[in-house]
Each structure stands twice: as C-alpha cells, then as structure tokens.
Amino acid sequence: MAESVTVKAPSSTANLGPGFDVFGLALDAFFDEVNLSKKKRKGIKIITNDHIPTNPAKNSVGLVVKAMQKKFKINNGVEIKIKKGIPVGFGIGSSAASAVATAIAFDKLFKLNLEPISLIKYAGEGEKASAGSIHYDNVAASLLGGFVIVRTNPLDVIKIEPPKNLALCIAIPKLDVPPNKTKVSRGVIPKKIRTSDSIQNLSNAAAIVVGFMKKDPEIIGNSIKDLIVEPARKHMIPGFNRVKKNALASGAFGVTISGAGPSVIAFAKKSSNLKKICSSMEKGFSKANTSCETIICKPCKGARIIKK
Ligand code: HSE
C-alpha cells in the first residue's frame, strides 16, 4: 500500500455569472499540489509554503481529512504538505483545489476506491473553512475538469467538455483580502430576489449550458449576465464597472466576477485579442488606483495523482 500520494489540482472559476453555486469551470491558470503521507503518530499535521492556517480545523484540507477519517473510521496520523500555486482568497478556487487534491490522495492512500461524486462531497466539506458553508461548484470543477453543473438534494454533477477555442482572461487585483472573504461576500447576496431578475438569470444560465453543448464561446460569453449576485457584490471590487466595460469594448464576449471575487474574468475565444482584453482590464483597475495581475488561460482537465 502506498505510504505517500501527491495530487495536483487546478484552479477554477465558479458561477459564470448566473450560475451561482451551480456552474464551475476548471482553469489551467494555476495549480495546487498536495502530498499526503501516513504517520504513526496520531493527528493531522499541515505543512505549507503559504500563509494559510495550519490548524486542521481552520484549513480546507484539514476539514476534508477529518470528515474522511470519521466516516471510514481511520485512526492513522496523516501529514499533509500543501504546495500552493493558486493565489489564496481571490475567487479562483484555491481552497477547493487543495481540498480536492486531499480527498483524492486520502482515497488512494487508504484504498477507499470512492466514486468521484463521493470525493466531491468530501472535498466540499473543506469549503466550510473559507466560505462558512458548503458549496460544490469549485470542487466539482477542480476534480472533474471542464465545465460542471452542480445539483444538490441529492448531490449530482453533470460535466460538459468545454469548447477547445474558449479562452479566458483573469484580472487578479492586488487587494488585501480577509481570510473569511467568501463568507463575507456570501453575506451580501440578497435573500429576496425579483421574479424578473430570476427569469433573466435562468434564461442566461440555460443559454450558457447550450453554449457549452454547442461548443460555442460566443453563446457562452454573451450569456454571462447576472442580475442577482454580481450587482450585490461588485462594490467590493474597486473599478469593477470600468474593468468590465473595458474588457467588453476590447472584444470579450462576457465579463463577470470570478467566484466570490475579487478577481474579474472575461470570456473570449482563442482568436480574440486576449492581450488587449488583459491590458484593458489592467487600465480599468488602475483608474481605481488598484494594480492587478492578468493571466490568459483556458479550460483544463481535472485533478490527477502525480506521485504515489
Ligand atoms: N459559488 C461560490 C460563491 C464560489 O460565489 O460564493 C466561491 O468561490
């Protein structure tokens, strides 16, 4: 039996506008690597290269291991080494990627042979650390890769292969994000919504799914329109309106907040002028006295074991 397993998991963007907590897309922008090894000494030890909590109760990976240990009555000690490649707290699925990598590694290490949907369920436990509640959009995307639609009660995930020519530009503003950012940004979402807004969001969400089915980046991008969550959250991103306007004027088909933010993501295709879109987003942020890093990326496959 392997005594140590290393898994690499990709970043992801959640929501894609109208698909709050439902849509996720795996992105090759950044990757986390997690190594799990069995230890004689009981307990969970977390070692990391980043400034994230190493208390297992406060870290997504610790919560995943705790949940899996409890469910499968595994008492071994576990050491978790996290190599963070995904910026933490910027809405690009950092905690989800580490949680996914941990669930896969734990499954392999203890020969559980769980189905992907169970791994998604345990990885979702990790989201409590940053979001305060469970949501599966980022973990499902990071685990399965591609575009995912999450249904709950019962938990079910449908995956669609994205178009090969879909390209994305992400602008990651240099802001100080609080450790509980996702919890805060979930707190501003309205409890009541207008029927007319819900109708528009539903029609756009349906069109996004069609765009992925038809492998058409234009349909996807043109449907990235959210009348519910984006308006409630955008005040937390300095210069958001201008960043969005600039990217659309530079040829992006659609622009929205990536996950819970503060990154902003533009949907385009490979042949779009992606550098122009990126620089227009940079200019938008700089007008709001905020610098940002931009990255051009594409959808990618899900997490995989790289060493055992
Ligand atoms: N769907 C979640 C949210 C993603 O928007 O709060 C968090 O990364």
Side-chain angles (χ1 to χ4, degrees):
M1 201 193 288
E3 294 298 310
S4 165
V5 178
T6 306
V7 179
K8 186 174 174 179
S11 48
S12 56
T13 187
N15 305 337
L16 289 87
F20 178 70
D21 279 3
V22 173
F23 292 163
L25 180 66
L27 299 173
D28 69 354
F30 304 98
F31 293 84
D32 276 6
E33 268 178 44
V34 174
N35 169 270
L36 240 70
S37 47
K38 279 186 204 166
K39 293 287 159 196
K40 288 214 175 71
R41 221 188 139 131
K42 287 216 168 81
I44 302 169
K45 187 173 178 195
I46 299 175
I47 302 166
T48 170
N49 64 340
D50 208 320
H51 301 290
I52 51 172
T54 51
N55 175 348
K58 295 195 171 141
N59 187 306
S60 65
V61 305
L63 294 182
V64 175
V65 168
K66 270 175 185 282
M68 294 180 85
Q69 279 181 327
K70 192 173 167 200
K71 175 71 185 176
F72 301 102
K73 300 188 174 52
I74 292 169
N75 296 316
N76 296 61
V78 176
E79 185 178 272
I80 313 165
K81 288 195 195 116
I82 315 170
K83 205 162 121 194
K84 293 283 323 167
I86 309 174
V88 178
F90 287 89
I92 36 183
S94 171
S95 60
S98 287
V100 158
T102 301
I104 294 174
F106 192 93
D107 176 72
K108 188 78 187 168
L109 203 55
F110 295 101
K111 289 200 164 164
L112 302 175
N113 290 321
L114 297 174
E115 294 292 330
I117 196 71
S118 299
L119 295 173
I120 289 169
K121 188 168 152 267
Y122 290 111
E125 288 287 324
E127 295 290 42
K128 278 187 205 158
S130 57
S133 57
I134 300 182
H135 56 95
Y136 298 97
D137 41 7
N138 289 107
V139 290
S142 184
L143 195 131
L144 297 175
F147 173 68
V148 294
I149 303 166
V150 176
R151 295 192 295 168
T152 42
N153 295 325
L155 180 63
D156 178 37
V157 178
I158 299 169
K159 176 186 165 176
I160 307 175
E161 278 308 326
K164 293 221 179 328
N165 60 342
L166 179 62
L168 305 106
C169 301
I170 312 177
I172 309 169
K174 294 200 169 72
L175 297 171
D176 285 330
V177 283
N180 60 347
K181 175 226 65 187
T182 304
K183 195 172 174 188
V184 173
S185 58
R186 289 175 82 79
V188 302
I189 295 164
K191 302 266 180 298
K192 286 187 179 168
I193 54 176
R194 293 211 323 236
T195 307
S196 56
D197 291 346
S198 132
I199 291 169
Q200 283 201 50
N201 265 33
L202 183 58
S203 62
N204 282 315
I208 288 173
V209 174
V210 171
F212 276 98
M213 299 287 296
K214 288 191 164 183
K215 316 278 180 234
D216 185 334
E218 270 191 72
I219 299 181
I220 298 169
N222 288 334
S223 316
I224 305 279
K225 292 185 186 118
D226 168 24
L227 278 78
I228 299 169
V229 178
E230 183 185 295
R233 280 179 167 171
K234 64 179 186 180
H235 69 277
M236 297 190 282
I237 305 170
F240 175 81
N241 284 344
R242 193 182 291 267
V243 173
K244 179 170 174 170
K245 202 172 141 207
N246 285 3
L248 291 171
S250 302
F253 302 133
V255 180
T256 191
I257 302 169
S258 181
S263 297
V264 179
I265 186 159
F267 289 72
K269 59 182 175 184
K270 264 189 193 150
S271 57
S272 307
N273 192 339
L274 301 168
K275 283 194 180 144
K276 187 176 168 197
I277 295 173
C278 283
S279 71
S280 77
M281 292 168 97
E282 283 161 20
K283 279 183 199 137
F285 270 120
S286 87
K287 278 266 181 199
N289 298 318
T290 305
S291 58
C292 77
E293 181 195 345
T294 49
I295 180 154
I296 295 169
C297 62
K298 60 181 188 315
C300 69
K301 290 192 180 4
R304 62 189 173 89
I305 296 170
I306 54 170
K307 208 157 79 188
K308 60 178 185 262

